[in-house]
mmCIF file of all heavy atoms in Angstrom:
data_model
loop_
_atom_site.group_PDB
_atom_site.id
_atom_site.type_symbol
_atom_site.label_atom_id
_atom_site.label_comp_id
_atom_site.label_asym_id
_atom_site.label_seq_id
_atom_site.Cartn_x
_atom_site.Cartn_y
_atom_site.Cartn_z
ATOM 1 N N LEU A 374 -25.546 18.370 93.077
ATOM 2 C CA LEU A 374 -26.717 17.489 93.171
ATOM 3 C C LEU A 374 -27.910 18.197 93.804
ATOM 4 O O LEU A 374 -29.051 18.002 93.399
ATOM 5 C CB LEU A 374 -26.379 16.246 94.011
ATOM 6 C CG LEU A 374 -25.451 15.218 93.392
ATOM 7 C CD1 LEU A 374 -25.094 14.161 94.429
ATOM 8 C CD2 LEU A 374 -26.091 14.572 92.181
ATOM 9 N N SER A 375 -27.634 19.013 94.803
ATOM 10 C CA SER A 375 -28.702 19.653 95.564
ATOM 11 C C SER A 375 -29.268 20.893 94.900
ATOM 12 O O SER A 375 -30.467 21.135 94.944
ATOM 13 C CB SER A 375 -28.193 20.027 96.959
ATOM 14 O OG SER A 375 -27.818 18.870 97.657
ATOM 15 N N PHE A 376 -28.399 21.710 94.314
ATOM 16 C CA PHE A 376 -28.818 23.027 93.827
ATOM 17 C C PHE A 376 -28.567 23.268 92.343
ATOM 18 O O PHE A 376 -28.983 24.291 91.823
ATOM 19 C CB PHE A 376 -28.095 24.127 94.621
ATOM 20 C CG PHE A 376 -28.334 24.067 96.100
ATOM 21 C CD1 PHE A 376 -27.324 23.704 96.960
ATOM 22 C CD2 PHE A 376 -29.577 24.375 96.627
ATOM 23 C CE1 PHE A 376 -27.532 23.659 98.327
ATOM 24 C CE2 PHE A 376 -29.793 24.323 97.997
ATOM 25 C CZ PHE A 376 -28.772 23.966 98.849
ATOM 26 N N GLY A 377 -27.861 22.385 91.685
ATOM 27 C CA GLY A 377 -27.508 22.591 90.284
ATOM 28 C C GLY A 377 -26.125 23.227 90.168
ATOM 29 O O GLY A 377 -25.586 23.797 91.125
ATOM 30 N N THR A 378 -25.562 23.129 88.987
ATOM 31 C CA THR A 378 -24.190 23.575 88.744
ATOM 32 C C THR A 378 -24.002 25.068 88.961
ATOM 33 O O THR A 378 -23.014 25.490 89.557
ATOM 34 C CB THR A 378 -23.765 23.202 87.304
ATOM 35 O OG1 THR A 378 -23.957 21.796 87.136
ATOM 36 C CG2 THR A 378 -22.316 23.536 87.055
ATOM 37 N N MET A 379 -24.934 25.868 88.471
ATOM 38 C CA MET A 379 -24.770 27.319 88.592
ATOM 39 C C MET A 379 -24.787 27.777 90.044
ATOM 40 O O MET A 379 -23.960 28.591 90.461
ATOM 41 C CB MET A 379 -25.817 28.052 87.762
ATOM 42 C CG MET A 379 -25.591 27.880 86.270
ATOM 43 S SD MET A 379 -26.726 28.836 85.264
ATOM 44 C CE MET A 379 -26.206 30.474 85.654
ATOM 45 N N GLU A 380 -25.712 27.245 90.833
ATOM 46 C CA GLU A 380 -25.788 27.632 92.241
ATOM 47 C C GLU A 380 -24.574 27.106 93.014
ATOM 48 O O GLU A 380 -24.044 27.796 93.883
ATOM 49 C CB GLU A 380 -27.088 27.137 92.872
ATOM 50 C CG GLU A 380 -27.230 27.448 94.339
ATOM 51 C CD GLU A 380 -27.250 28.933 94.685
ATOM 52 O OE1 GLU A 380 -27.362 29.784 93.781
ATOM 53 O OE2 GLU A 380 -27.147 29.258 95.883
ATOM 54 N N ALA A 381 -24.133 25.907 92.691
ATOM 55 C CA ALA A 381 -22.929 25.370 93.337
ATOM 56 C C ALA A 381 -21.731 26.269 93.037
ATOM 57 O O ALA A 381 -20.959 26.596 93.945
ATOM 58 C CB ALA A 381 -22.659 23.953 92.855
ATOM 59 N N SER A 382 -21.604 26.693 91.804
ATOM 60 C CA SER A 382 -20.506 27.590 91.431
ATOM 61 C C SER A 382 -20.595 28.917 92.168
ATOM 62 O O SER A 382 -19.591 29.450 92.630
ATOM 63 C CB SER A 382 -20.502 27.841 89.930
ATOM 64 O OG SER A 382 -20.212 26.660 89.244
ATOM 65 N N ARG A 383 -21.806 29.442 92.301
ATOM 66 C CA ARG A 383 -21.981 30.703 93.010
ATOM 67 C C ARG A 383 -21.583 30.552 94.477
ATOM 68 O O ARG A 383 -20.875 31.388 95.029
ATOM 69 C CB ARG A 383 -23.432 31.173 92.910
ATOM 70 C CG ARG A 383 -23.666 32.573 93.519
ATOM 71 C CD ARG A 383 -25.143 32.882 93.698
ATOM 72 N NE ARG A 383 -25.771 32.081 94.724
ATOM 73 C CZ ARG A 383 -25.608 32.253 96.060
ATOM 74 N NH1 ARG A 383 -24.803 33.170 96.513
ATOM 75 N NH2 ARG A 383 -26.255 31.472 96.904
ATOM 76 N N ARG A 384 -22.031 29.466 95.087
ATOM 77 C CA ARG A 384 -21.723 29.243 96.496
ATOM 78 C C ARG A 384 -20.223 29.044 96.739
ATOM 79 O O ARG A 384 -19.722 29.404 97.794
ATOM 80 C CB ARG A 384 -22.478 28.012 97.015
ATOM 81 C CG ARG A 384 -23.952 28.263 97.190
ATOM 82 C CD ARG A 384 -24.669 26.963 97.510
ATOM 83 N NE ARG A 384 -26.076 27.221 97.725
ATOM 84 C CZ ARG A 384 -26.662 27.182 98.914
ATOM 85 N NH1 ARG A 384 -26.000 26.879 99.987
ATOM 86 N NH2 ARG A 384 -27.952 27.444 99.014
ATOM 87 N N LEU A 385 -19.549 28.466 95.788
ATOM 88 C CA LEU A 385 -18.128 28.182 95.963
ATOM 89 C C LEU A 385 -17.220 29.256 95.377
ATOM 90 O O LEU A 385 -16.006 29.167 95.485
ATOM 91 C CB LEU A 385 -17.795 26.830 95.330
ATOM 92 C CG LEU A 385 -18.472 25.643 95.996
ATOM 93 C CD1 LEU A 385 -18.266 24.379 95.181
ATOM 94 C CD2 LEU A 385 -17.975 25.460 97.413
#
Side-chain angles (χ1 to χ4, degrees):
L374 289 173
S375 298
F376 302 110
T378 305
M379 291 185 67
E380 178 62 11
S382 294
R383 186 193 69 74
R384 287 172 178 253
L385 295 171

